[in-house]
Amino acid sequence: MIRDLVRYADPRLFAPNAAADPAAPDFPGLLADMIETCRAAPGIGLAAPQIGINLRVAIVDLTVGAEPDALVVLVNPEILEATGEQKEDEGCLSIPDVTERVIRAARVRVRAADETGKVRELEGTGLLARAFAHEVDHLNGTLFVDRLRGLKRELTWKKIDRRKAKGLW
Ligand code: NI
């Protein structure tokens, strides 16, 4: 089922997220809904709080459903290592039509369980590293615009608040 996307400034984006249990009866349904909602958006990643569920679950799929093997399920993810630097445009389904250049690590190593509860370590570079970092940020209540600095940060937040006030979402 496609769920409604939670948009800024909904408090669920900033609420604490509890550890998720892949063995919980409602977990498969939640995951299926996240995958469907992310593909429909379309987006390359989605965190559970973005559909109003404050659990530490996120998905990343750089192919937006084109290649089923590309789907990465991140249950209770932790960033183990973040090295190097990349600066690329980034956006978020919870802040429609706003993209800004964000500095992220070029390589990110993450430890997370998959949908069966098996814990494994994953490594991403480039866009995958960016997506891992962006989704783990969501689980910590951080949005990509929080990563901006100085005047750009100020102007971007003003733009977001203006769009929000106009009722664009
Ligand atoms: Ni996002």
Side-chain angles (χ1 to χ4, degrees):
M1 185 177 76
I2 297 173
R3 307 258 199 126
D4 287 340
L5 281 168
V6 167
R7 305 230 159 92
Y8 174 79
D10 190 301
R12 289 171 292 181
L13 291 174
F14 308 105
N17 293 295
D21 176 9
D26 51 357
F27 184 88
L30 167 65
L31 184 60
D33 287 355
M34 285 178 64
I35 294 167
E36 206 178 329
T37 304
C38 187
R39 286 176 184 169
I44 62 167
L46 185 78
Q50 292 184 278
I51 57 165
I53 305 295
N54 286 114
L55 289 174
R56 300 187 68 82
V57 186
I59 56 168
V60 169
D61 178 1
L62 300 187
T63 76
V64 199
E67 291 169 32
D69 290 348
L71 176 72
V72 182
V73 176
L74 301 168
V75 179
N76 306 322
E78 270 180 82
I79 304 249
L80 299 175
E81 205 185 338
T83 52
E85 193 178 292
Q86 57 169 314
K87 197 174 182 183
E88 299 292 339
D89 281 348
E90 196 166 319
C92 179
L93 295 175
S94 293
I95 311 174
D97 303 319
V98 174
T99 56
E100 290 296 335
R101 280 172 97 75
V102 182
I103 296 171
R104 295 278 190 188
R107 177 177 156 274
V108 169
R109 221 152 55 79
V110 61
R111 181 193 292 135
D114 66 10
E115 64 274 27
T116 70
K118 189 182 166 215
V119 176
R120 77 277 200 233
E121 288 184 13
L122 305 159
E123 191 177 305
T125 57
L127 185 57
L128 190 58
R130 176 173 295 277
F132 285 165
H134 181 114
E135 298 312 328
V136 173
D137 266 0
H138 269 302
L139 300 181
N140 295 323
T142 299
L143 300 174
F144 79 97
V145 278
D146 294 317
R147 297 280 177 194
L148 301 173
R149 291 291 169 257
L151 184 61
K152 190 165 155 184
R153 179 193 173 100
E154 219 174 290
L155 292 174
T156 303
W157 276 113
K158 271 192 189 144
K159 180 160 79 181
I160 291 167
D161 287 334
R162 231 173 15 241
R163 294 179 66 84
K164 172 82 188 132
K166 272 191 196 161
L168 291 178
W169 67 77

